[in-house]
Amino acid sequence: MARFTYAPAPESRAVVDLKPSYGLFIDGEFVDPVDGDHFKTENPSSQEVLAEVSSAGPADVDRAVAAARRAQEQVWGPMPGKERAKYLFRVARILQERSRELAVLETLDNGKPIRESRDVDIPLAAAHFFYHAGWADKLAYAGLGPDPRPLGVVGQVIPWNFPLLMAAWKLAPALATGNTCVLKPAETTPLSALLLAEILQQAELPPGVVNIITGAGGTGAALVAHAGIDKVAFTGSTEVGKQIQRILAGTGKRLTLELGGKAANVVFDDAPLSQAVEGIVNGIFFNQGQVCCAGSRLLVQESIAEGLVDALKRRLETLRLGDPLDKNTDIGAINSMQQLDKIRQLAASGEAEGAQRWSPACSLPERGYWFPPTLFTDVVPAQRIAREEIFGPVLSVLTFRTPDEAIEKANNTTYGLSAGVWTEKGSRILHMASRLRAGVVWANTFNRFDPSSPFGGYRESGFGREGGRHGLAAYLKGTFGSDRA
Ligand code: NDP
């Protein structure tokens, strides 16, 4: 298929005011670390160093937790919900006002296409604050008891795939319910959280209500093990999630875990195929496949498999990989060398174990971390590429003959975060949705998010829900949220 040549359309990075170095955001101010160090954050599409960032040590974690405790007991906890709501509305509006700056910064630090940070990450982050602002003064009517009380101080650790959006998912419900927060962004993507800290200052959020401590895994470990927090909310790998669960066992602290996934995207022979091709592409190539709920296993009914794979290949040939700041770019950079190595290793295992590898012709930039959109056919369930989370732009295609076989294959995973069903029949959608062991099931679409819709998994994908009324329960005392600890 012919690919049109587009003139470059780069978004200007002049809107972003990058500082050479950043402190920790504790008690409403940017401060130097007491016992921590510094590290550099780079642009994964060019390996250019963007800024130096502070790494919080144990004494810094202590300071942040103490500030959050003071703020919770003296200011934020006693504050009426309708007053808290005003701050959340203000943050949401500033996120909208500064959306271009946030989108460019997110793309610089993460490597994702500007089209995605501009149209998905930032608007959804603002939507989460708007949505939860609406709840802050209505908690008594949420069906969670007549006088729901906050837990206290919450420790929150987030990953690098949706840096600002994950910060919003964590902070907005915690704040709406009267908790205060200590948030640790991922080591490779701290910058949008630090800009959010500036936005919180601009919104005149009382000091200590949100504290943002940057650092690597050690900082996260010190935070989750800190005696002064009442709850941990974590999004990241299943491996680290298990470690955190072991640390918190027996402490009485509440815990929610949002971990990995290996979602099945199931396409029946009566599905609208052109629409399905778009959904499959969005399901696995959105954010370079670095998405916990990515549709990384495509299950196609055998009778249409050949035609669908051909259509998919034609579509992949039209994807544009390159400068993430270019508004025409579909596939940006992989977030880090470490992640690129993991994707390469798993893709190599797919070939070694007998699957057929295919990528469209596309040249990769010389600098930065890149992986072409990749499709594997002749995949069988025992292969690593059918079982393990690749977290990259790699799709494994399997086939099935009957709905029962599709369900069995889809559920044949240790994970249970999301799934997709493509069919014209409403009854089949309902039948599949009730039997797929996944927290979210999309029908004739994929990767749709809304703050009012609870998100979370089963089994090794974690527990607890984020978003919606269920997400509020995870931050309130004595509620029957789906978190357990
Ligand atoms: P991690 O789980 O290591 O990172 C998630 C967050 O936890 C980061 O902020 C990280 O800090 C922090 N962290 C790391 N170790 C600890 C610890 N012992 N205690 C507390 N916090 C900790 O994920 P990775 O970045 O290493 O990615 C590895 C794999 O995880 C990916 O390849 C992917 O398969 C999966 N993943 C899944 C995600 C999801 O949304 N479900 C998101 C990200 C990754 P730091 O970044 O500084 O190390």
Side-chain angles (χ1 to χ4, degrees):
M1 183 189 283
R3 185 151 62 148
F4 294 106
T5 310
Y6 288 175
E11 182 64 83
S12 164
R13 52 184 284 180
V15 295
V16 171
D17 177 22
L18 269 178
K19 298 179 180 48
S21 73
Y22 290 84
L24 306 167
F25 184 65
I26 297 178
D27 214 7
E29 288 178 6
F30 284 94
V31 295
D32 288 330
V34 173
D35 62 347
D37 209 343
H38 294 89
F39 62 97
K40 292 182 169 45
T41 182
E42 64 173 16
N43 178 343
S45 72
S46 64
Q47 295 169 267
E48 163 207 4
V49 171
L50 294 170
E52 191 175 73
V53 179
S54 302
S55 166
D60 300 308
V61 177
D62 275 349
R63 279 199 297 169
V65 173
R69 177 65 61 193
R70 270 194 311 277
Q72 208 285 325
E73 290 178 357
Q74 296 170 14
V75 184
W76 198 248
M79 188 184 282
K82 68 177 199 293
E83 295 303 316
R84 289 201 304 269
K86 290 179 191 169
Y87 287 102
L88 295 187
F89 274 124
R90 204 181 287 171
V91 172
R93 283 196 300 265
I94 302 173
L95 286 173
Q96 286 186 324
E97 282 163 18
R98 299 180 68 172
S99 59
R100 184 175 292 234
E101 184 184 351
L102 284 158
V104 172
L105 185 64
E106 198 74 309
T107 285
L108 286 173
D109 206 18
N110 171 279
K112 64 175 69 201
I114 186 74
R115 206 160 46 84
E116 293 181 6
S117 48
R118 183 195 63 195
D119 297 348
V120 182
D121 295 58
I122 312 305
L124 268 180
H128 269 265
F129 277 96
F130 275 122
Y131 174 78
H132 287 96
W135 270 121
D137 63 345
K138 300 175 197 68
L139 296 174
Y141 311 100
L144 302 168
D147 184 23
R149 310 297 308 156
L151 298 172
V153 175
V154 186
Q156 305 178 312
V157 179
I158 55 170
W160 42 261
N161 52 348
F162 294 91
L164 185 75
L165 183 57
M166 288 302 105
W169 276 33
K170 295 280 177 278
L171 295 175
L175 297 179
T177 45
N179 300 278
T180 55
C181 306
V182 180
L183 175 87
K184 193 205 85 70
E187 185 183 356
T188 57
T189 53
L191 295 182
S192 56
L194 292 166
L195 181 51
L196 175 63
E198 286 178 27
I199 288 172
L200 300 178
Q201 282 180 325
Q202 190 184 344
E204 295 175 11
L205 189 75
V209 172
V210 172
N211 305 274
I212 297 179
I213 51 170
T214 43
T219 303
L223 176 60
V224 302
H226 199 283
I229 54 171
D230 302 295
K231 177 200 161 91
V232 172
F234 172 81
T235 298
S237 63
T238 297
E239 189 192 338
V240 174
K242 285 180 180 176
Q243 284 172 27
I244 294 174
Q245 196 174 11
R246 275 195 288 272
I247 290 166
L248 294 202
T251 62
K253 289 179 194 169
R254 296 267 293 265
L255 173 65
T256 40
L257 294 176
E258 202 267 274
L259 309 174
K262 190 75 188 172
N265 203 358
V266 185
V267 184
F268 286 95
D269 58 5
D270 64 343
L273 288 187
S274 310
Q275 198 182 323
V277 166
E278 291 309 307
I280 295 161
V281 169
N282 174 40
I284 184 63
F285 300 112
F286 170 59
N287 203 25
Q288 294 70 245
Q290 301 166 126
V291 183
C292 48
C293 52
S296 51
R297 285 184 301 151
L298 177 64
L299 299 188
V300 195
Q301 198 149 21
E302 203 175 87
S303 51
I304 57 160
E306 210 181 308
L308 185 72
V309 168
D310 285 347
L312 204 50
K313 286 181 175 173
R314 282 197 300 277
R315 180 68 180 92
L316 294 191
E317 275 164 357
T318 68
L319 294 180
R320 285 155 211 277
L321 177 148
D323 180 8
L325 274 181
D326 192 311
K327 287 172 252 178
N328 297 320
T329 293
D330 299 302
I331 308 273
I334 301 300
N335 183 247
S336 65
M337 190 63 221
Q338 193 189 5
Q339 188 57 27
L340 180 59
D341 279 344
K342 181 182 168 190
I343 300 168
R344 284 179 176 159
Q345 259 181 37
L346 274 159
S349 83
E351 273 180 296
E353 291 181 343
Q356 294 300 317
R357 179 175 178 163
W358 181 90
S359 288
C362 77
S363 56
L364 304 181
E366 270 172 27
R367 288 184 69 75
Y369 313 126
W370 304 92
F371 198 88
T374 299
L375 194 137
F376 277 100
T377 47
D378 292 344
V379 178
V380 294
Q383 288 164 355
R384 286 181 68 196
I385 53 166
R387 288 183 291 117
E388 293 182 30
E389 183 177 49
I390 301 175
F391 226 64
V394 181
L395 180 65
S396 303
V397 184
L398 297 96
T399 57
F400 68 89
R401 288 183 181 169
T402 64
D404 282 348
E405 188 188 346
I407 289 162
E408 198 163 316
K409 283 187 167 158
N411 289 341
N412 182 14
T413 165
T414 55
Y415 295 110
L417 192 54
S418 65
V421 182
W422 296 84
T423 170
E424 210 176 49
K425 296 187 182 63
S427 57
R428 183 176 272 167
I429 290 171
L430 295 175
H431 175 72
M432 293 294 290
S434 66
R435 295 183 65 195
L436 288 167
R437 293 283 296 158
V440 181
V441 180
W442 285 292
N444 293 329
T445 186
F446 210 92
N447 272 342
R448 291 260 171 193
F449 305 96
D450 188 286
S452 63
S453 175
F455 183 89
Y458 287 104
R459 298 192 276 185
E460 296 216 346
S461 293
F463 49 78
R465 294 292 177 264
E466 298 192 287
R469 203 176 61 81
H470 300 73
L472 297 173
Y475 286 100
L476 291 166
K477 274 186 189 156
T479 51
F480 299 97
S482 43
D483 62 330
R484 50 185 158 100

